[in-house]
Amino acid sequence: METTTIDVPSFIDERRISAFQYMVIGLCTLIMIVDGFDTQAISYAATLMAKEWGLTRAALGPIFSSSLIGLMVGYLAIPPLSDRYGHRRVIILSSVFFAIFTLLTATASGVTELIVLRFLTGLGLGGVAPSAIAMTGEYSPKRLRATFVLIIYCGFSLGFVLAGFAAAKLLPTLGWPSLFYLGGILPIVFAVLMALFMPESLDHLVLRRGDMERVKAILRRIDAGFLAPAAAVFSMGEREPGRLAVSRLFQQNRSLPTLLLWLVFFINLGEFYALQSWLPSVLRGMDYPMDKVALTTSLTTVGGILIAFVVGPCMDRIGPYFTVGILYICGAAAVILTGTLLHSAFWVVMACTFLTGVCISGGQKSVIALAAIYYPASIRSTGVGWALGIGRLGGIAGPLAVGFLFSAGWSATSVFFAAGLPLVVAGISIFIIGHLSNRGVSALRPAPSATS
């Protein structure tokens, strides 16, 4: 009997998006929302906790840092397990893991206990995003992959916003534990939904388990008219040798692009957290009232969400590397423009910070989508996770660097000028990755046959 090979990525690329695929992407979006909610919840609860426990503001630093360190470790350690054992399993287990420790956070009674609980919560949170991004990438056709990855990562930012709304409603009447009870219950509910309705990673089923009947069932849910031949075998495209997932980030001519991606993530998260940390202080120093400071700072996040619905289609239609590279170059211009017009009318400052958020916050979402496009399915979760983990180091370094410049006597305008330069480096790095990627694809194409 003749064997028929069905290439699964091509199967998905050649068909319209089904309701089943929208369900998978929707479930990934839901868990990203609660991931962002629980990441941000401590920021709103910390003030009340400090007041209740008699803590100084400085004592909150280790609490915030423990969450960030847990996230970084989660990004680095868990995605290779996702690529090996399946994204569905890791998303569900990570969700339950951080839900348990979020619920335990609501019962914390001391700083040391809270630091440990927030570290463990961050560890679970760090396991969700790379796996959800990888799962979305697998179930999205190539022509829409960047758009869908950007959409689900907007869920993470939306979780930040919802945490603020929930804090405003719950904290004054129910106290700080209520925020963590809500943040612990939601992921358990979503984990149950995923256990019931989310399929396993196709890459895992084809390459790791060889579970052909489950693959056939999933493909029939994507295309109800699909009839697999009796002797069908399934492929996920070119299969690479089964090395450790992290080492494979540096195989197949991926060493320089991987390092450049890490550099871009480092720069982008450094710029984002520097902006979020210092912009309120800069505006307060210019005697703006707190409501205007909060509004202006929030526009950086809003801009990043809105631009995702423009950048995603551009990445899919024009090209991911050109689009993201241009976004970073525009980001450099926006940051420098903000520094130049910092002492202008308030609406001008708002417009500049919005544009800055469009490029920096939007750039972060876009480069995550780009990483999901660049890495093959078998190491996609690891590639995204390690880039996010390295980027967290930038998130720590960025605010410290700005603080050092202010301590050295730099003006706010000069700091903004200096902050624009790394974004130029990020844009150039993306262009280089695109060039190397296109060259690598060309090298893999067979040479044209000679004609007589």
Side-chain angles (χ1 to χ4, degrees), residues 415-433:
V415 169
F416 273 96
F417 282 5
L421 298 179
L423 290 170
V424 175
V425 174
I428 293 172
S429 298
I430 294 296
F431 290 137
I432 294 173
I433 295 169

Side-chain angles (χ1 to χ4, degrees), residues 20 22 49 74 78 154 174 411 426:
F20 175 73
Y22 281 122
M49 298 168 85
I78 298 178
C154 282
L174 299 177
S411 67

